[in-house]
Amino acid sequence: MSDTFQQHPETAIEVADMDFHYGESKALKDIRLTVPRGRIVAFIGPSGCGKSTLLRCFNRMNDLVPGARVTRGSIHIDGVEIHSPEVDPVELRRRVGMVFQKSNPFPRSIYENVAYGPRIAGTKSKSELDGIVEEALKGAALWSEVESRLHESAFGLSGGQQQRLCIARAIAVRPEILLMDEPCSALDPVATAKVEELILDLKRNYTIVIVTHNMQQATRISDMTAFFYLGELMEYGATTKIFTRPERRETEDYVTGRFG
Amino acid sequence: MDSKPTSFATTGRSRKGEPFVWLTAAGLTMGVVLTLGLLGLVVTKGIQTFWPDRIQVFEIDTGAGTEKVAGYVVQERERRDPQGVDHEEIQIFRGNRELFGEKFAFFDRASIRSQEIPEDILLVERMEGGHVIARAGKILRADGTEVPANDPGFATSLDELIEKTDTKREELRRIEKIEIGRNAREVKELRSLERFEGSTPETQARLATLNEEFLKLDAERNLVRQALAGDVLLLDAVDGREIRIEAGELLHIFRPNQAGVIGRTGEMLRRVWHFLASDPREANTEGGVYPAIFGTVVMTLVMSLFVTPFGVVAAIYLREYAKQGPLVRAVRISVNNLAGVPSIVFGVFGLAFFIYFLGGVVDSWFFPRSEEPVFKSGGVLWASLTLALLTVPVVIVATEEALAAVPRGVREAALACGASKWQAIQRVVLPASLPGILTGVILAMARGAGEVAPLMLVGVVKSAPDLPIDGEAPFIHAERQFMHLGFHIYDLGFQSPDSEAAKPMVFATTLLLITIVVVMNLAAIIIRNRLRKKYATSSF
Ligand SMILES: Nc1ncnc2c1ncn2[C@@H]1O[C@H](COP(=O)(O)OP(=O)(O)O)[C@@H](O)[C@H]1O
Ligand SMILES: [Mg+2]
């Protein structure tokens, strides 16, 4: 791990006084939040409140959106301001992986999907790649299901398998932080349970930030929960506290389903 | 049913606009009918060219007596004479050009006294002068013996004669085209070497041996020619006149009135094969179109080889890298309009830029010693490049659309794995858009294969002595002029002295051109569907 990790052993991500704009419209205001290392943090809140926007700030995915930018404050990952000029977004994304809401496998074989990250990072040896692919697929609890058809198209998999393949693809890069944007929203309950189990398993090696609309999911898997409302971070704390003794009215309405 | 109105009874509003549906359907029907009509015409006429008709013998009243004519009916028509009387006329192909001058003739139906289909009529194909329709007379052999038609061994003798002629002709062709040709080329190279570097004892010695070789080949050639010239086939035309065919001229003999369905089908297949696989004869009106098929396919493939990478790279830059703004918009509009520029303009550009400029540069760099221009004249390379330029907008537009259609999620996924922009494009975006790109290439090929006008300026000729790819080192002769089916059609239909005789060839060649374009497209479509299956977008 990097030296910065030695200096900030507890903090993976630190957001300070951050504002974010899409063109003229402000999507996030005054966000202040710390993601501790090795924990699972859940982002909850009504649609359009800015959860995905903040998540995509962490790996600078918003760079792709024209006009989108951080207008105030800072984001430090491993103690480094990620918008500073010496940070290469490509390197950042290698250390901050992401799983998207809609599973998005590449139009290639299962093997090639998982091998993509290591390959572009320069791994050439076939045996090394084989090892990484197997490890990642096992890590994503998919290995036994696809072992026999590694070289078939990824589109032959079911929705839940595709999403776990996307997780395998993300962890094959061996990131330190894993961002997940509603990874289960398009899955049936059985597939969701499998992915949740997987996330809990991944916690041993990764810091995970997960956006979810499912309150039970947040309580089941997360250590900390952040509640967003209209672009603001309303409340952030231990998951049990947010769900049982919220401090703010809006949080209570939302977590009890009275929101509207 | 009772017509008591319910609350669901129609108010007529649901049928509003129905006439427009009919209008659109009518438009589609019209298009389909016209296309099918065109295809039907070309297919039937093209196939008719090859089907051997029965030969009929007509007895015709000429006013001053009767005259016998043999041939097959080509068409029937009505003609109104100056007195306003209608005549039914038939057009007959009667061949025998040396007797009649014209191969076709019209006769008034009313003047036909009788018609019959005699079994013993022969249809003879020969090298020059077109078909002969007549009865067998006799074979005069070079050694002075003769075999009359009523001799029981006549048929086998005739077959032997034709077989012998075939092998001799093949031998002659080999000697003339390949061996003498190679000899002449080497002599020419040596001569040019001598001119630039002065003659040396080695070159002189080599030239002397070459000359000796040539004399030997020439003697050999004359021997074969003599062997070909000796025998003669005499035929009796139905009007009693005699036709003399030297064995060297004989190509094929068929008895259309004796052959059954199988025999005629066999003859048809032979004709089709002959058409596809042999060289043209007699100013292209007879023989086959093999060099034109070859030229068309080679040119189209080489064009695709140029246009695909060029168009794809341009589209990637336009869509993925260029800063979208007025400049890029202007470039895009220009590219789209390029597709609408009349194709002859590309021909002129190709002539000026590729042939005169680039060809001139290539010649002055690599062939400074050549007397004739090598690349500074029309050839398959320049023609392919010209057509590549003509079709590149199609590929650019298709590729841009294919790139735009790649889901954003897939791109983001690639970037989230730590890919640079180029890595994402190269390994994820391009494979995903391959089917769309191939669609563009297919369209470009279809457009390019059917284009004629620009080619006439940049390398297509009526008849090319050599193919652009052959067994002669360096095997690919990119500078050679070539034949093309589209130009062949134009040349046959509108440039040949006897357009009536060329008509069947026009239809057959048209059918062939359409078939080739369809086959090339089908091949590309099959490849695309394979890819699509492989790279199918998520169904989930
Ligand atoms: N690419 C974009 N361009 C402009 N506005 C956007 C874009 N993406 C999201 N937004 C806006 O930003 C706000 C936050 O969106 P988002 O982060 O996607 O919310 P959430 O994920 O919490 O549902 C919304 O009002 C949305 O309309
Ligand atoms: Mg969202």
Side-chain angles (χ1 to χ4, degrees):
Chain A
M1 292 271 161
S2 64
D3 313 332
T4 44
F5 171 70
Q6 305 299 334
Q7 291 156 15
H8 303 265
E10 302 304 326
T11 310
I13 307 174
E14 187 168 7
V15 185
D17 311 326
M18 194 197 80
D19 282 359
F20 187 92
H21 277 81
Y22 283 113
E24 291 304 302
S25 74
K26 196 176 227 178
L28 293 171
K29 27 180 192 286
D30 206 23
I31 305 296
R32 224 165 295 153
L33 163 144
T34 306
V35 177
R37 186 169 300 280
R39 294 289 153 80
I40 299 180
V41 174
F43 287 1
I44 60 171
S47 284
C49 66
K51 310 178 293 292
S52 299
T53 303
L54 181 59
L55 200 69
R56 290 163 58 92
C57 281
F58 296 156
N59 64 350
R60 286 184 57 181
M61 212 45 138
N62 285 324
D63 288 8
L64 307 179
V65 182
R69 69 213 178 279
V70 173
T71 44
R72 193 172 70 91
S74 63
I75 302 173
H76 284 79
I77 291 182
D78 284 351
V80 177
E81 160 55 60
I82 61 169
H83 295 97
S84 64
E86 68 265 28
V87 171
D88 180 350
V90 170
E91 292 303 326
L92 173 70
R93 288 179 199 136
R94 223 162 259 164
R95 289 171 55 183
V96 184
M98 186 162 202
V99 176
F100 297 80
Q101 173 173 8
K102 188 170 178 295
S103 70
N104 47 8
F106 302 138
R108 323 190 93 191
S109 70
I110 294 169
Y111 181 93
E112 284 303 325
N113 261 279
V114 183
Y116 180 78
R119 240 194 241 288
I120 56 176
T123 310
K124 290 217 170 61
S125 128
K126 171 97 177 83
S127 57
E128 202 177 330
L129 280 176
D130 286 350
I132 296 174
V133 169
E134 181 173 345
E135 190 192 339
L137 283 170
K138 278 181 175 156
L142 194 59
W143 176 250
S144 57
E145 289 160 68
V146 300
E147 189 181 0
S148 59
R149 47 172 173 154
L150 281 179
H151 296 283
E152 286 171 31
S153 168
F155 294 131
L157 299 174
S158 74
Q161 287 173 323
Q162 284 189 16
Q163 192 61 299
R164 277 180 287 150
L165 177 67
C166 292
I167 295 174
R169 182 177 64 191
I171 61 183
V173 186
R174 302 197 170 131
E176 292 150 35
I177 298 167
L178 209 49
L179 311 174
M180 299 178 146
D181 195 350
E182 299 182 41
C184 302
S185 67
L187 303 185
D188 62 67
V190 177
T192 301
K194 276 200 173 151
V195 173
E196 277 182 20
E197 207 176 302
L198 168 61
I199 292 170
L200 283 171
D201 211 38
L202 290 173
K203 187 179 153 186
R204 275 182 281 145
N205 301 314
Y206 302 94
T207 307
I208 296 174
V209 184
I210 179 170
V211 174
T212 179
H213 268 131
N214 181 330
M215 296 305 119
Q216 282 84 36
Q217 186 170 62
T219 53
R220 278 194 301 262
I221 63 177
S222 70
D223 303 307
M224 313 267 291
T225 298
F227 172 64
F228 292 86
Y229 185 57
L230 295 177
E232 281 182 84
L233 177 58
M234 281 293 168
E235 196 166 347
Y236 181 45
T239 300
T240 42
K241 176 163 176 296
I242 296 283
F243 281 92
T244 51
R245 286 171 281 110
E247 277 168 15
R248 298 188 65 138
R249 184 68 211 233
E250 294 91 340
T251 317
E252 189 178 353
D253 285 350
Y254 186 74
V255 298
T256 52
R258 255 181 292 141
F259 192 83
Chain B
M1 216 198 258
D2 208 310
S3 62
K4 187 165 146 255
T6 70
S7 54
F8 295 120
T10 184
T11 56
R13 207 175 47 210
S14 61
R15 281 196 294 275
K16 226 176 195 159
E18 215 111 298
F20 292 105
V21 177
W22 281 105
L23 200 69
T24 52
L28 177 67
T29 315
M30 193 112 116
V32 169
V33 165
L34 285 178
T35 313
L36 287 183
L38 171 78
L39 280 182
L41 178 78
V42 171
V43 168
T44 49
K45 287 279 191 180
I47 288 174
Q48 261 174 26
T49 311
F50 299 112
W51 180 249
D53 275 321
R54 299 278 190 223
I55 289 178
Q56 309 191 29
V57 175
F58 300 90
E59 212 173 343
I60 287 167
D61 190 349
T62 56
T66 57
E67 182 194 317
K68 277 193 169 175
V69 175
Y72 50 82
V73 179
V74 180
Q75 64 163 330
E76 304 186 14
R77 70 171 188 193
E78 296 239 323
R79 185 177 62 88
R80 177 164 293 181
D81 67 11
Q83 281 80 46
V85 187
D86 284 337
H87 295 272
E88 258 184 61
E89 284 190 333
I90 55 171
Q91 189 188 21
I92 293 175
F93 173 82
R94 55 182 182 179
N96 303 6
R97 204 161 69 190
E98 62 267 66
L99 302 185
F100 304 113
E102 287 281 317
K103 287 191 256 184
F104 292 86
F106 282 101
F107 294 103
D108 200 327
R109 258 212 195 285
S111 71
I112 295 176
R113 290 284 153 271
S114 70
Q115 68 191 79
E116 53 170 343
I117 303 183
E119 294 246 307
D120 55 348
I121 292 279
L122 303 182
L123 180 67
V124 182
E125 272 176 48
R126 52 183 172 173
M127 293 289 285
E128 276 168 27
H131 290 69
V132 169
I133 295 175
R135 292 194 167 86
K138 57 188 163 197
I139 298 171
L140 298 178
R141 289 235 177 83
D143 56 12
T145 57
E146 36 181 85
V147 188
N150 51 16
D151 189 297
F154 181 79
T156 45
S157 304
L158 197 56
D159 288 346
E160 275 169 20
L161 188 65
I162 290 180
E163 210 167 295
K164 188 179 121 196
T165 320
D166 271 350
T167 50
K168 290 283 174 202
R169 210 170 12 232
E170 185 50 41
E171 210 173 313
L172 192 63
R173 207 188 68 85
R174 201 204 69 223
I175 295 174
E176 286 189 334
K177 257 193 116 157
I178 302 180
E179 307 206 346
I180 296 187
R182 181 179 301 148
N183 189 293
R185 252 195 310 280
E186 205 180 330
V187 169
K188 209 174 112 190
E189 273 166 27
L190 280 172
R191 289 259 154 81
S192 119
L193 193 72
E194 284 192 333
R195 213 178 35 255
F196 280 93
E197 296 179 358
S199 80
T200 61
E202 291 97 74
T203 58
Q204 274 163 9
R206 184 70 193 139
L207 273 175
T209 41
L210 281 172
N211 192 38
E212 237 166 74
E213 253 173 47
F214 172 75
L215 289 177
K216 230 168 40 204
L217 284 170
D218 193 43
E220 215 177 304
R221 167 167 68 173
N222 284 336
L223 224 63
V224 180
R225 277 206 184 130
Q226 269 165 27
L228 267 173
D231 306 322
V232 170
L233 175 66
L234 289 180
L235 297 161
D236 300 321
V238 286
D239 56 3
R241 285 187 277 182
E242 190 171 75
I243 296 175
R244 196 184 148 89
I245 305 176
E246 306 234 327
E249 290 282 297
L250 270 182
L251 282 178
H252 180 68
I253 292 179
F254 179 62
R255 292 178 179 78
N257 296 354
Q258 271 175 23
V261 175
I262 297 174
R264 289 164 89 188
T265 311
E267 169 70 6
M268 183 171 94
L269 293 179
R270 190 198 70 84
R271 288 182 184 178
V272 170
W273 173 246
H274 185 68
F275 176 68
L276 295 178
S278 60
D279 290 343
R281 287 180 286 117
E282 303 222 35
N284 293 352
T285 56
E286 301 276 342
V289 295
Y290 176 67
I293 300 177
F294 198 86
T296 308
V297 171
V298 166
M299 190 217 58
T300 310
L301 292 183
V302 174
M303 177 204 78
S304 322
L305 239 51
F306 283 123
V307 78
T308 311
F310 189 55
V312 169
V313 167
I316 289 178
Y317 186 78
L318 264 185
R319 165 75 46 187
E320 304 284 342
Y321 287 102
K323 196 162 172 289
Q324 305 296 317
L327 185 64
V328 165
R329 241 193 331 271
V331 169
R332 199 167 281 140
I333 290 171
S334 312
V335 166
N336 287 344
N337 282 329
L338 210 58
V341 172
S343 56
I344 191 75
V345 175
F346 286 94
V348 175
F349 175 80
L351 183 65
F353 180 72
F354 291 129
I355 296 181
Y356 290 154
F357 177 68
L358 275 187
V361 170
V362 171
D363 272 8
S364 65
W365 284 359
F366 299 102
F367 305 96
R369 292 177 179 183
S370 168
E371 283 172 68
E372 310 113 43
V374 180
F375 278 93
K376 202 183 171 180
S377 75
V380 69
L381 174 70
W382 301 139
S384 306
L385 275 173
T386 306
L387 283 198
L389 204 62
L390 176 89
T391 50
V392 78
V394 181
V395 179
I396 292 183
V397 169
T399 306
E400 273 213 68
E401 267 163 26
L403 290 175
V406 174
R408 210 181 81 182
V410 175
R411 279 168 203 271
E412 289 190 339
L415 295 172
C417 286
S420 68
K421 184 160 183 177
W422 171 244
Q423 284 172 327
I425 290 172
Q426 181 204 3
R427 298 195 181 220
V428 175
V429 178
L430 266 189
S433 46
L434 218 46
I437 294 174
L438 265 176
T439 304
V441 174
I442 289 168
L443 288 174
M445 276 169 72
R447 169 107 203 258
E451 207 47 81
V452 180
L455 294 180
M456 298 188 341
L457 301 182
V458 292
V460 154
V461 283
K462 179 188 171 81
S463 106
D466 297 300
L467 297 175
I469 297 177
D470 60 18
E472 191 87 39
F475 307 115
I476 296 170
H477 309 276
E479 79 287 357
R480 278 192 189 163
Q481 296 186 313
F482 63 107
M483 292 176 69
H484 185 273
L485 285 170
F487 181 71
H488 203 75
I489 293 169
Y490 165 74
D491 181 60
L492 281 172
F494 306 99
Q495 303 287 295
S496 71
D498 188 354
S499 61
E500 193 67 44
K503 210 161 76 180
M505 286 284 276
V506 170
F507 280 113
T509 313
T510 309
L511 179 60
L512 184 63
L513 179 58
I514 294 177
T515 313
I516 284 181
V517 171
V518 168
V519 165
M520 282 199 283
N521 278 317
L522 274 183
I525 287 170
I526 288 169
I527 296 175
R528 179 184 63 189
N529 288 352
R530 287 254 169 85
L531 287 174
R532 201 172 265 164
K533 218 172 272 166
K534 196 165 156 201
Y535 295 130
T537 25
S538 174
S539 53
F540 161 64

